[in-house]
Amino acid sequence: MTFTVILHLLWHTVLGFVFYYPLFMSSLWIIGAIFFYFKNEKPYLKYTIPPLRKGESWQGVSILIPCYNEGQNAVETITYALNVKYPEFEVIAINDGSKDNTLEILLELAKTNPKLKVVNLAANQGKALGLQAGALVAKYEYLVGIDGDALIDEYCLYWMVKHFIRYPAVAAVTGNPRIRNRTTLLGKIQVGEFSSIVGMIKRAQRSFGRIFTVSGVITGFRKAAVHEVGYWSPDMLTEDIDVTWKLQRNGWDVRFEPRALVWILMPETLSGLWKQRLRWAMGGVQVMLKNFKVLFMPRQTHLWGLMVELMLSTLWAYSMALVFLVWFISLFVPVAYLMPQQSPILPDQTSVILIGACLVQFAVSKWLDGHYDQGLGKNYFWMIWYPFAYWLLNLFTAVTALPKVLFAKKGRARWVSPDRGAHQQVKKG
């Protein structure tokens, strides 16, 4: 077999992987999400508050809100948290060395709100240590962490606590973040993304047994569980992914609750979006490298699927980058033996299949999350741009993340004020 033939076969293998892997995963997510809906969501659609079983009762909750330079958002976020409809709760706002007037605002709010506690960290310690500080002063066993710009739904606590009081093995319940700012194209695309990618994947992963990560913007925790695993790791860029794996490796269960809603602000500039997605990608790589050894642990078989998916997704990103590179070279150098007419490189019929599968995924997700997010269908038109904009963004952040993590200096992950986009109120519920 000649070198050219071998190279040709290898190239066809790469092209097949680039095409079939996302098509397979999309189908898997759709099937898993639909199964989750009929099993875990549909029976509860008629309820505003989930019904309790005999012998169950609502337990107290501590809402933890780490804040760094949240002067513009603190009043609104804290007000929403104090107005949740739940029998017994407290709100703990952690000022993590803010350089603006966040601390002054929090202290002023605490004067007239006895349910609000303020914890002040003199220097910026990072979100992980901020959450830990709040957990240590919390008087309740159940903790719900939200971001400093998030607006929590008034019935959110009920839907999270239901899992804790009913299932003692549940350590964390991740909620369903919804996008508030929808004035720009990037904002509108992210509305659909959080349903079709974030929400759908969590539904599917839960159907198959384990969740890759909780959402840092809205997650409930059992205090005893996070204490057992050493709380959140201060050296991880994405403490939410890391704590999810720590809990599941220790035998705890993690769940997704679509009725636990929170309304958040997301970046609406390319630079802000790049920084956010690069941090997410680097956090995923950190977790992959930290937990790779689970593949050699017979007692951790419940995490093998997640680890294999994470590794294949990273491999796909590099394979796709290679395809684009060869395609670009082919514009100037004859490489016909590498670039047959039938290949999944934009633009051709196979790319249309992938985009079509993507739009089907968006349609299913719109149906799922449309029960909780009014007007979600209005954003479907804008999702045609997702494959062109966000696939490329996520591709290049994934490719960039691996070397940055491998060659980065180890240290504590501290806050950086993110791009919150244009503040835009939307009708919630």
Side-chain angles (χ1 to χ4, degrees), residues 64-68 70 92-95 127 130-131 145-148 415:
L64 309 182
I65 310 178
C67 302
Y68 177 70
E70 296 290 358
I92 302 175
I94 306 100
N95 176 58
K127 185 178 180 180
L131 285 169
I146 65 173
D147 278 358
W415 292 88

Side-chain angles (χ1 to χ4, degrees), residues 308-352:
V308 170
E309 179 187 346
L310 180 57
M311 293 170 62
L312 286 177
S313 296
T314 304
L315 179 61
W316 181 87
Y318 276 90
S319 299
M320 192 65 182
L322 176 63
V323 169
F324 274 111
L325 177 62
V326 173
W327 173 77
F328 180 76
I329 294 175
S330 71
L331 298 177
F332 309 96
V333 179
V335 285
Y337 64 92
L338 283 182
M339 298 294 296
Q341 292 182 349
Q342 305 298 326
S343 64
I345 295 180
L346 300 177
D348 68 4
Q349 65 271 27
T350 51
S351 66
V352 174

Side-chain angles (χ1 to χ4, degrees), residues 12 89 92 101 110 209 211 225 227 269 305 320 333 338 375 385 407 417:
H12 269 282
F89 70 94
I92 302 175
N101 61 338
I211 291 178
H227 177 75
T269 65
M320 192 65 182
V333 179
L338 283 182
W385 298 105
F407 299 108
S417 296

Side-chain angles (χ1 to χ4, degrees), residues 176-179 181-182 185-201 203 277 358-359 361-367 369 373 375-384 386 390:
N176 190 1
R178 314 307 305 163
I179 308 300
N181 42 337
R182 308 180 179 188
L185 178 59
L186 289 179
K188 291 174 180 177
I189 293 176
Q190 286 178 96
V191 174
E193 180 191 32
F194 265 69
S195 293
S196 65
I197 305 299
V198 179
M200 178 168 281
I201 290 177
R203 285 178 172 91
R277 299 311 165 93
C358 181
L359 293 178
Q361 184 175 324
F362 285 128
V364 174
S365 68
K366 180 266 173 191
W367 167 62
D369 275 329
D373 191 345
L376 190 60
K378 297 177 181 178
N379 288 86
Y380 186 76
F381 169 80
W382 301 103
M383 298 316 299
I384 188 65
Y386 183 86
Y390 280 71

Side-chain angles (χ1 to χ4, degrees), residues 112-360:
T112 56
N113 295 281
K115 286 189 175 183
L116 175 61
K117 294 179 182 178
V118 177
V119 176
N120 182 43
L121 303 179
N124 183 351
Q125 300 296 317
K127 185 178 180 180
L129 289 182
L131 285 169
Q132 181 173 339
L136 292 175
V137 302
K139 67 178 180 179
Y140 297 119
E141 171 64 11
Y142 303 142
L143 314 172
V144 172
I146 65 173
D147 278 358
D149 64 335
L151 308 183
I152 189 171
D153 184 76
E154 58 187 351
Y155 298 106
C156 177
L157 300 187
Y158 283 108
W159 293 97
M160 285 193 157
V161 172
K162 175 195 73 169
H163 295 272
F164 293 124
I165 63 178
R166 192 163 295 174
Y167 308 103
V170 171
V173 181
T174 183
N176 190 1
R178 314 307 305 163
I179 308 300
R180 293 166 59 191
N181 42 337
R182 308 180 179 188
T183 57
T184 68
L185 178 59
L186 289 179
K188 291 174 180 177
I189 293 176
Q190 286 178 96
V191 174
E193 180 191 32
F194 265 69
S195 293
S196 65
I197 305 299
V198 179
M200 178 168 281
I201 290 177
K202 282 183 170 56
R203 285 178 172 91
Q205 288 177 341
R206 182 58 213 170
S207 293
F208 299 126
R210 293 295 183 269
I211 291 178
F212 175 70
T213 180
V214 299
S215 295
V217 293
I218 174 66
T219 299
F221 294 97
R222 191 185 299 271
K223 190 195 297 186
V226 293
H227 177 75
E228 178 184 298
V229 300
Y231 296 94
W232 297 266
S233 301
D235 60 337
M236 302 296 285
L237 287 171
T238 49
E239 82 295 327
D240 46 0
I241 305 178
D242 179 69
V243 77
T244 308
W245 280 75
K246 288 166 68 174
L247 291 169
Q248 292 180 135
R249 286 190 62 175
N250 271 42
W252 289 96
D253 196 13
V254 177
R255 300 199 167 198
F256 171 61
E257 177 49 68
R259 294 290 293 270
L261 302 170
V262 71
W263 301 83
I264 63 174
L265 297 169
M266 291 291 287
E268 289 192 302
T269 65
L270 289 176
S271 62
L273 203 58
W274 169 264
K275 291 177 182 178
Q276 181 198 60
R277 299 311 165 93
L278 181 59
R279 183 178 67 84
W280 289 1
M282 291 176 65
V285 172
Q286 283 183 325
V287 169
M288 180 176 66
L289 297 177
K290 180 178 179 180
N291 296 279
F292 175 76
K293 56 187 176 183
V294 301
L295 292 176
F296 307 97
M297 298 179 178
R299 293 185 179 181
Q300 299 289 329
T301 55
H302 57 288
L303 293 172
W304 286 6
L306 289 178
M307 179 55 67
V308 170
E309 179 187 346
L310 180 57
M311 293 170 62
L312 286 177
S313 296
T314 304
L315 179 61
W316 181 87
Y318 276 90
S319 299
M320 192 65 182
L322 176 63
V323 169
F324 274 111
L325 177 62
V326 173
W327 173 77
F328 180 76
I329 294 175
S330 71
L331 298 177
F332 309 96
V333 179
V335 285
Y337 64 92
L338 283 182
M339 298 294 296
Q341 292 182 349
Q342 305 298 326
S343 64
I345 295 180
L346 300 177
D348 68 4
Q349 65 271 27
T350 51
S351 66
V352 174
I353 295 175
L354 289 177
I355 294 173
C358 181
L359 293 178
V360 170

